Amino acid sequence: MKILKELSRKEFRAKFGSEDQCLAFLAATKWGEKYKCRKCKNERFNAGKKKYNRRCSRCGYDESPTSHTLFHKIKFGIGNGFEMAYDIAMSKKGANSIWLAERFGVKQTTAWLFRRKVQEAMKSSEQFPLEDEVHVDEFETPQKGEQGRSKSEKKIRIVIALEYRNGKPGRGYAKVIDDYTAKSLKTIFDVHIDKEAKITTDGWTGCAPLKKTYPHLEQKLSDKGQNFKMLHIQIRNFKNWLRGVHSYCHESYINQYIQEYFYRFNRLNFRTTILEKLLNRMIAHTPTTYKSIKYNAT
Ligand SMILES: [Zn+2]
């Protein structure tokens, strides 16, 4: 069996153990050799107020390596920010904000907000649709706090698409949907499934109209999961994970948690580089505020 090497905490600390190392990484990733002043577009700079800051040689604008990134105005130290990102990217169960708050000695809201920022960076680029064989299925999960109530209560519906390449499980995506109409199902198809893929779905009527756009779509009765065995194992893993984080997560944020799950799931074979890739995305991402994250929940 192939053992996948991942970045150990020891290796992480050797690389990003000090504030200085983190700031150096931020500056190198953000500017590298291509500095350009944000105010006047000048390409020359001098040392700024603090180490790793860059100060425009023309207008004097002094920029820190964290500004204009998701690490902007981080209050609990850049080293802790990098390590929180490490925990979120690497932990098997997905580090929740209560656990992070305790571990880093910060308020739960602080850990929650930073975790949401990391999730922002984990959003799919929507550039690499699933190919080859794709199995699509759906499941329902009760709304927070409604377990055990009557079955007529509204449930959250999730559609999931998983890829099989050369008979092996590949990447996946999932999305919260309102219902099983073609219009709702189309949202995951259009964004995440290649038109030429050989798609197999359950017998839902909502899928029939999609055959126009996806000529290789085939419908098969699930037969209590017998026809989708591999898919159902993966759905079970995903549901267990979601149930775990869901108890800490408001319904409006479920899509973000789903994205986090699949960001990691789709990179299971790249665990040595997953953190650096994530940090790169966080550095390239414009800063977000508590307000924008709270109110832009979809
Ligand atoms: Zn300038």
Side-chain angles (χ1 to χ4, degrees), residues 126-140:
E126 302 182 353
Q127 298 296 306
F128 305 100
L130 305 177
E131 295 170 330
D132 288 6
E133 264 186 70
V134 179
H135 293 182
V136 183
D137 205 353
E138 95 295 335
F139 66 89
E140 292 182 340

Side-chain angles (χ1 to χ4, degrees), residues 7-75:
L7 185 73
S8 70
R9 195 171 297 273
K10 201 175 156 199
E11 286 166 321
F12 167 80
R13 291 212 169 129
K15 213 168 177 178
F16 300 117
S18 71
E19 185 149 312
D20 198 79
Q21 284 170 306
C22 297
L23 289 172
F25 179 83
L26 273 159
T29 309
K30 182 171 151 179
W31 293 304
E33 302 299 315
K34 291 184 199 135
Y35 170 83
K36 197 183 230 177
C37 171
R38 275 171 202 274
K39 304 273 172 199
C40 75
K41 310 276 180 254
N42 175 33
E43 292 180 5
R44 286 165 168 266
F45 65 92
N46 299 313
K49 265 182 273 171
K50 288 184 182 161
K51 194 178 172 187
Y52 299 113
N53 277 24
R54 292 189 180 187
R55 189 170 189 274
C56 172
S57 67
R58 191 194 289 156
C59 76
Y61 175 62
D62 192 314
E63 189 176 323
S64 79
T66 52
S67 62
H68 304 282
T69 77
L70 282 178
F71 294 100
H72 183 58
K73 289 192 175 163
I74 187 164
K75 300 224 169 54

